[in-house]
Amino acid sequence: MAMAEVIYFDVNETLLDMSPVRSTIAEALGGDDSLVPLWFSTLLHHSLVDCATGQFHPFSDIAGAALVMVARNNGYDIALEDAKENISNAMMSAPAHADVKPALEGLRDSKYRLVALSNSSINGLEKQLSHAGVIDCFDRVMSVESIRTYKPYPAVYHWALREMGITARQGLMVAAHGWDISGAKAVGMQTAFIKRASKSTYPLGLAEDFVGDSLTTLVEKLTSSSSATGQLT
């Protein structure tokens, strides 16, 4: 089995704590925290509608549109431009989870190449990662806007692998979303699921190679003498 040479990280929730975004969404929905997951699932649903219909809207635009939809369906009113601005501002203030910077630095010290791979725009990603103080840990910051297709469509992972000049088995996708894990696994990548709060794997999805409570456990696995080949399986 090939050694993992490049580690790709999903950004939102996997690396960054989305508490500011959840608070902003809840506030727009009358303080109802229970509607926040509905907003996120609506966002993901319509990003895939774009893929299925040959369209492409920036992720922030879809996020705003999803908020407008959930608000209207629950008796609230928010203008699309206001929704987009409020969400974008909150995204830019998201901090890194406590385990993120030490983990990224440990992997860099072990000579892995690190890539941030997200559905968010490249401009937004760079601002987010800079604010969180981790952008210098990455060899590349990659946004799906370059190919105008959203994860977990296979084209995204194939493109990310080509950009780094590696085979699928030399790539490892790390995410806190089961759909991202399944997408990467479908093209032959190694995968690691990180159990952030309220996140679980998809029971009908393609099985991940590793599950950890934090990035710390992943680093320990990849840098231990028993995993000197950089393999998870």
Side-chain angles (χ1 to χ4, degrees):
M1 185 179 296
M3 173 180 175
E5 296 181 8
V6 179
I7 306 178
Y8 298 83
F9 291 89
D10 174 58
V11 174
N12 298 321
E13 294 190 297
T14 303
L15 298 182
L16 303 185
D17 181 352
M18 292 288 104
S19 295
V21 179
R22 289 191 289 270
S23 296
T24 294
I25 298 301
E27 182 178 352
L29 298 172
D32 190 346
D33 292 342
S34 69
L35 292 175
V36 176
L38 176 59
W39 162 76
F40 187 62
S41 62
T42 302
L43 161 60
L44 293 177
H45 176 88
H46 286 87
S47 70
L48 299 184
V49 169
D50 261 20
C51 294
T53 57
Q55 301 185 84
F56 184 85
H57 296 93
F59 206 55
S60 58
D61 287 9
I62 303 175
L67 178 53
V68 169
M69 293 171 68
V70 174
R72 287 175 179 170
N73 291 341
N74 288 276
Y76 303 104
D77 184 48
I78 183 171
L80 178 58
E81 290 305 315
D82 289 340
K84 288 162 52 178
E85 182 178 0
N86 291 344
I87 293 170
S88 293
N89 289 340
M91 294 282 282
M92 295 308 112
S93 66
H97 290 292
D99 60 338
V100 169
K101 190 164 186 177
L104 296 178
E105 290 175 341
L107 292 170
R108 284 294 298 273
D109 289 345
S110 295
K111 308 305 179 184
Y112 288 100
R113 289 187 288 163
L114 309 183
V115 175
L117 176 62
S118 176
N119 281 339
S120 297
S121 70
I122 190 65
N123 183 56
L125 275 174
E126 290 174 348
K127 289 180 179 178
Q128 283 182 286
L129 295 171
S130 293
H131 177 269
V134 295
I135 194 167
D136 291 340
C137 295
F138 292 98
D139 296 277
R140 288 282 301 275
V141 175
M142 301 174 67
S143 164
V144 302
E145 70 179 4
S146 294
I147 59 167
R148 299 173 67 83
T149 301
Y150 286 108
K151 293 188 293 177
Y153 267 59
V156 176
Y157 306 99
H158 286 306
W159 163 73
L161 293 165
R162 288 195 305 271
E163 286 291 303
M164 298 305 293
I166 60 171
T167 66
R169 291 305 297 174
Q170 292 171 320
L172 166 63
M173 185 72 218
V174 180
H177 303 287
W179 48 266
D180 210 349
I181 294 296
S182 279
K185 192 70 174 178
V187 304
M189 295 176 70
Q190 298 184 60
T191 56
F193 180 80
I194 304 302
K195 295 189 288 185
R196 298 302 187 192
S198 301
K199 297 300 172 186
S200 60
T201 56
Y202 174 41
L204 301 181
L206 299 174
E208 66 286 337
D209 297 301
F210 176 83
V211 176
D213 292 326
S214 69
L215 287 179
T216 303
T217 57
L218 176 63
V219 174
E220 290 171 350
K221 175 69 173 178
L222 288 173
T223 59
S224 67
S225 57
S226 61
S227 293
T229 59
Q231 296 175 187
L232 290 177
T233 56

